[in-house]
Every structure is written in structure tokens, then in C-alpha cells.
Amino acid sequence: ERMVANLETEIKEVQATLQEAEVVLKTHHDAVLNLREVTQTQSAQLQEYHAQVHKFSGRLASLETLQEAALGKNEAELIAWLQAQGLHEAPRLAQSLQVESGWELAVETVLGARLQALCVEDLLVLQTALENPPQGELAIFETNKGNGSLRMGNGSLPEGFFPLLDKIKAPWPLTTLLTGVWVADTLSDAYRLRSQLAPHESIIIPQGIWLGHNWLHSQQGTNERAGVLAREQEINDITTQLNVLDGNVQTLSQELEQ
């Protein structure tokens, strides 16, 4: 009987050990299944990130090609002249502006070719070089000047008028380029205010129709520079998205390697 009792005790111990082993085995099995599921999810997410990177990279390359052409960066003789002056990496004015959504065309219409302007601190350094200017179109914007005033003779802004400058953020003052250019939300508002314009003033609406005291200018989608500001904003947005995606790809890749 004692032997039987001992065997029963051993059997119970073995059964307990087996139960514990089964629990451990199930835990490991569940962990493996969970890890496999997580890995599959991460792999799928990584593929999605790679697809987005490919898509955005293609779009960015296309936009940059268009932007280089619009900003005159493909003009060989001009580029050579700029390199000789150490200006080939100077930012263009269009690349330094942030324009309120909806007002891009108005700003492009007013600034025109000056959107291509190279931003430099001092025009004096180019005085000698400009004795022999390059072929093609050259525009320079001096960044250490331009603190003009929007105030009228009586020291106040004219009633009902708001400056185009209010629609733009830039690292430097733009008053020398845009003083006297006002905005209106609609063509009827622009016509109503036009009679109050001084000879040197003008008013523009979001659609790019630009009126002076006795003149009107409109250029709708026929200029190679059309869309340069919106395109620059999209380039910046895509660049930001690609930086985020690159970070996500690196993080996921490291997790999958562990």
C-alpha cells in the first residue's frame, strides 16, 4: 500500500508538471502567434510606407523639375554667371514666401518675374559684375533693406483698404515690392474702391485680376510661372511628409530586425 501511495503521489507530481508545461507551452505558442501577427502587420505597414515614399518621391521630382524651369534655374548662361559670382545657391524669392491660401495667384501676378529674384544681402557686391550682365532675365532682391511704410500722407491706412502684404509671410520686409498694392475679395469690391486709388496704387483680387486707377491686368494660366507659389508650398509639404515617412521606415525596419 505504501508503494501504491508513493506511485500515486509521483503520478500527481508528474501530472502537475505536465499541466505546468502545457500552460508554458500554450503561453509560448500564443506569444509566437502574436509575434507573427505583429510582424505581418508591421511588414504590411512597411510596404505601405515604401509605396508612399515611392509615390511622393516621384511627385517631388516632377514638381522640382517644373519649379526649376519656372524659376529660371535651367538657363545655362545665367547659371554660369551666377556661379562666377558665388550666387548659384542663393534662394529665390518664391522659395522664401508663405502666402495665405487662395491669394497665391494674386501675389504671382503682382510680383511676376521678381519671384525669380535671387535673395542677397547687399547689391553693392554685384556692381562690378553687372557691368557685363548675363544673357536672359536676372532679378535680385536685397534682403537687408526694404523697411518702407504703408502709411498714407495723413498717417493712417485708407478706410476699406487692406494691403497685399498682409497675405504674405517672408523673412524680410517686402514693402519696396508691394507698397501701394491693396486687396479686395471680389471684382465688384475692387471696382468700387478703384476710384479712391492714388496714381501709384493698385488693387487686386484672389483670381489675379489687378486694377490701377486707369488700367487693368489679368493673366490666367498662360505664364510658365503660374502656380509657382502653390507648387513651392507643395514641395515643402511633400518634403516634410517624406521626412516623417523616412523616420517611420527606419523605426519599423529596426523593430523587424529585432
Side-chain angles (χ1 to χ4, degrees):
E1 291 183 359
R2 182 177 297 175
M3 291 180 61
V4 171
N6 289 338
L7 284 172
E8 289 178 347
T9 299
E10 289 180 8
I11 290 172
K12 288 179 180 179
E13 290 176 352
V14 170
Q15 289 176 336
T17 301
L18 284 173
Q19 288 177 350
E20 290 176 0
E22 287 175 354
V23 170
V24 171
L25 181 62
K26 186 177 185 305
T27 299
H28 286 313
H29 182 263
D30 291 344
V32 168
L33 291 178
N34 182 64
L35 180 60
R36 184 176 298 165
E37 183 178 347
V38 169
T39 300
Q40 289 174 344
T41 300
Q42 289 179 330
S43 297
Q45 184 65 70
L46 186 59
Q47 289 180 347
E48 175 63 23
Y49 284 152
H50 280 304
Q52 290 182 29
V53 168
H54 179 74
K55 170 186 168 185
F56 284 132
S57 296
R59 176 62 177 166
L60 182 61
S62 176
L63 288 171
E64 288 178 336
T65 298
L66 290 172
Q67 198 73 330
E68 286 179 0
L71 295 178
K73 293 186 175 182
N74 295 331
E75 299 175 15
E77 186 170 341
L78 175 60
I79 297 303
W81 188 88
L82 293 175
Q83 287 177 331
Q85 314 312 319
L87 293 177
H88 57 289
E89 293 185 354
R92 304 295 178 123
L93 185 59
Q95 297 174 305
S96 305
L97 304 182
Q98 292 182 6
V99 179
E100 183 179 318
S101 179
W103 286 93
E104 293 90 353
L105 179 56
V107 174
E108 290 172 8
T109 300
V110 174
L111 290 178
R114 290 173 294 183
L115 287 168
Q116 295 184 3
L118 292 147
C119 299
V120 303
E121 290 187 0
D122 193 348
L123 273 173
L124 284 176
V125 300
L126 292 173
Q127 184 173 348
T128 301
L130 287 170
E131 294 291 339
N132 293 295
Q135 293 296 308
E137 193 170 30
L138 174 67
I140 305 289
F141 178 71
E142 193 174 34
T143 60
N144 66 356
K145 292 185 174 66
N147 288 306
S149 174
L150 285 174
R151 300 297 177 179
M152 305 297 285
N154 60 4
S156 62
L157 293 174
E159 185 177 356
F161 283 73
F162 300 93
L164 182 59
L165 280 166
D166 284 355
K167 307 296 183 182
I168 307 171
K169 291 181 180 178
W172 324 282
L174 301 175
T175 48
T176 55
L177 298 177
L178 296 173
T179 294
V181 182
W182 310 98
V183 298
D185 291 329
T186 66
L187 188 59
S188 60
D189 286 341
Y191 265 86
R192 177 175 53 83
L193 295 169
R194 185 171 66 101
S195 61
Q196 303 175 48
L197 292 173
H200 65 282
E201 293 179 325
S202 58
I203 191 164
I204 193 165
I205 65 173
Q207 291 77 15
I209 300 177
W210 188 17
L211 297 90
H213 191 75
N214 63 346
W215 55 267
L216 181 147
H217 174 79
S218 175
Q219 189 164 357
Q220 305 293 319
T222 59
N223 191 311
E224 68 174 5
R225 286 186 291 270
V228 67
L229 292 174
R231 188 160 52 242
E232 186 65 30
Q233 183 60 54
E234 187 176 356
I235 287 172
N236 292 335
D237 290 343
I238 290 178
T239 301
T240 299
Q241 289 176 303
L242 282 172
N243 288 336
V244 172
L245 284 170
D246 285 341
N248 291 340
V249 167
Q250 290 181 12
T251 299
L252 268 180
S253 298
Q254 290 172 356
E255 290 178 358
L256 286 170
E257 290 173 358
Q258 293 176 355

